[in-house]
Amino acid sequence: LLSAIGGPRFAITDAHVAPHLPPIAYPLLVIEPGEASKGIATYSLVLEWLAESQARRDATLIAIGGGVVGDLAGFVAATYMRGIALVQVPTTLMGQVDSAIGGKTAIDLKAGKNLAGAFHAPDAILVDVQMLATLPAREFVSGAAEVWKYGAILDAELLAELERAPLSPDRTDLARIVRRCAEHKARVVEEDEFERLGRRAILNFGHTIGHAVEAAMGFGPLTHGEAVAIGMVAEARLGETIGLTEAGVADRLRRGLSRQGLPTEIPPGLEPRELMAWMGRDKKAGADGLAFSLLPAVGRCTLVRGVDESAVLDVLKQE
Ligand SMILES: NC(=O)c1ccc[n+]([C@@H]2O[C@H](COP(=O)([O-])OP(=O)(O)OC[C@H]3O[C@@H](n4cnc5c(N)ncnc54)[C@H](O)[C@@H]3O)[C@@H](O)[C@H]2O)c1
Ligand SMILES: [Zn+2]
C-alpha cells in the first residue's frame, strides 16, 4: 500500500519501532522514543531534516509509530512548506484506535501537553494489528482503555464483548475490534472535524478527570490509558451522583477495567481541590464551567456543561 503513494516519501519512526520494520526504500528518520520527543527540539530537528533532504511540497511524510511519532510528524506535515501530505502508520493500540485518526496534531510546550498544534488530516491511515505483537504489555493495556471507552460511550455490544473477555494481543478478533473502534472515532470526527460543535467532545469521556490525574501526578507514573480508566470510573460515578447515569454503570466499568489490568481508583494523595484546579486549566474547559461527557446508560453519551463543582468534588473525595 505504501508503494501506491505518489511523489517523494520521507518516513519518521522511533528507536523502539525501527528494529521491527522491514527495509524502507526512502529516507527514514529515527527519533528517541517517549513523550519528551514531542517537543520543539525534535519538531525543529524533523523540519530541518526535511529541508536538508530537499523535500518539496509534493512530498509525503509517513509517520510509523505510536501517538508521539504520529502527533509530531503530523504537526511537521501540517507546517512544513505550509503543509505536505501525511500518512499515518500507527504501531500502538492507542494509535490504531485513537491518535492516528481525526487529524489532530500537536507538540508539547513547557507549560503543558499539546499546546501547539494544527488540524491536519492524514491522506491515509494504514493499520496492521500484527504490528502490536512487539508492543510492551503495559502499552497494549493502555490502548485498551480507549477501546473500553468506545464501548462505554457508543457501543454497548462491544462493551459486553470486552466484559466476556478483556482485549489481548492474541485475540483472534482483534482486527475486527480495532476496525470497529477506528470507525467509531472516524464517524464522530466527521460530524465535528474542528471540534466546534461539541460532538467531538463526547470522546473526552474519562479524560476530564483522567487528564487532571495524569497532570497532577506529573505525567509518567501513569500511562494515558491508565489515567483514562480511572477517569472513566470517576466520571461514571459523577453521572450517577447527578442522577444522569443509570445506577450500576460505574461499578460495571470498574469491574471490567480492572479485569483488563487497568487501575480504577484515584491514587492516594491526590487532593480533590488540586485535581479541580488541573481541570480548570485544561484547554478544553469552557467559559461556562466544567463540561463532561457523561453516560445516560452504557453505549450512550451526552455532553453536559456547567456541572456542579460540589458534585465533582464529592466524586473526587470517594475512596
Ligand atoms: N492526536 C490525537 O488525537 C491523540 C489522541 C490520543 C493520544 N495522543 C497522543 O499520543 C501520545 C501517546 O501515544 P502512544 O500511547 O501510542 O505512545 P508512544 O508513541 O509513546 O508509544 C508507546 C511506547 O511504545 C513504543 N512502541 C510503539 N509501537 C511499538 C511496537 N509496535 N513495538 C514495540 N514498541 C512500540 C514506543 O516507542 C513507546 O516507547 C501522547 O503524546 C498523546 O498526547 C494524540
Ligand atoms: Zn485518550
Side-chain angles (χ1 to χ4, degrees):
L1 259 172
L2 277 180
S3 57
I5 301 162
R9 282 160 284 169
F10 296 83
I12 162 169
T13 191
D14 77 26
H16 287 157
V17 178
H20 306 296
L21 297 178
I24 289 180
Y26 34 88
L28 172 73
L29 181 70
V30 181
I31 62 166
E32 286 295 312
E35 187 74 26
S37 281
K38 225 180 93 172
I40 292 276
T42 319
Y43 171 66
S44 132
L45 186 115
V46 183
L47 285 172
E48 298 289 356
W49 171 71
L50 284 176
E52 275 158 30
S53 314
Q54 290 169 6
R56 299 182 316 251
R57 284 223 57 197
D58 63 348
T60 297
L61 186 59
I62 305 169
I64 311 171
V68 164
V69 167
D71 277 13
L72 170 75
F75 189 46
V76 168
T79 48
Y80 182 70
M81 296 200 168
R82 299 196 188 87
I84 60 171
L86 170 70
V87 171
Q88 293 279 7
V89 186
T91 64
T92 61
L93 184 54
M94 179 70 69
Q96 296 188 349
V97 300
D98 188 358
S99 63
I101 307 155
K104 277 193 190 176
T105 76
I107 57 171
D108 306 329
L109 301 181
K110 285 195 193 101
K113 270 184 60 137
N114 299 326
L115 286 183
F119 287 99
H120 191 66
D123 296 85
I125 306 166
L126 307 180
V127 172
D128 181 353
V129 292
Q130 285 182 39
M131 300 197 88
L132 304 179
T134 56
L135 193 63
R138 192 169 173 202
E139 294 297 341
F140 183 88
V141 169
S142 177
E146 304 284 356
V147 174
W148 280 82
K149 182 189 79 179
Y150 292 112
I153 64 174
L154 292 166
D155 194 339
E157 200 182 307
L158 171 62
L159 195 87
E161 272 184 57
L162 296 170
E163 287 178 317
R164 282 193 290 275
L167 205 60
S168 71
D170 49 13
R171 203 169 153 147
T172 52
D173 56 0
L174 182 62
R176 179 181 60 79
I177 290 177
V178 166
R179 170 181 284 272
R180 191 157 164 157
C181 293
E183 285 169 353
H184 281 310
K185 169 113 190 220
R187 192 163 356 91
V188 173
V189 168
E190 263 168 38
E191 290 169 13
D192 182 14
E193 190 177 353
F194 302 108
E195 209 164 41
R196 283 179 192 138
L197 310 173
R199 179 68 188 159
R200 192 167 176 160
I202 63 163
L203 297 170
N204 291 338
F205 175 60
H207 283 64
T208 310
I209 292 177
H211 276 154
V213 169
E214 216 181 346
M217 296 196 64
F219 295 98
L222 290 176
T223 66
H224 174 69
E226 287 166 353
V228 168
I230 292 168
M232 286 193 285
V233 174
E235 291 178 21
R237 280 193 186 128
L238 174 64
E240 291 183 18
T241 305
I242 64 171
L244 186 131
T245 302
E246 215 172 75
V249 169
D251 248 6
R252 232 181 113 176
L253 286 177
R254 186 185 50 73
R255 274 195 304 273
L257 291 167
S258 119
R259 268 190 80 197
Q260 179 70 67
L262 286 158
T264 56
E265 302 295 334
I266 294 173
L270 295 185
E271 290 299 321
R273 288 267 165 216
E274 190 198 347
L275 292 172
M276 285 295 278
W278 280 109
M279 276 182 244
R281 235 172 285 170
D282 197 303
K283 69 180 182 305
K284 281 163 191 141
D288 49 352
L290 290 172
F292 286 89
S293 164
L294 297 176
L295 316 174
V298 151
R300 288 196 288 128
C301 65
T302 176
L303 191 69
V304 186
R305 293 195 170 86
V307 174
D308 188 28
E309 249 191 51
S310 64
V312 183
L313 278 172
D314 272 355
V315 167
L316 298 175
K317 262 180 230 141
Q318 276 179 25
E319 299 306 313

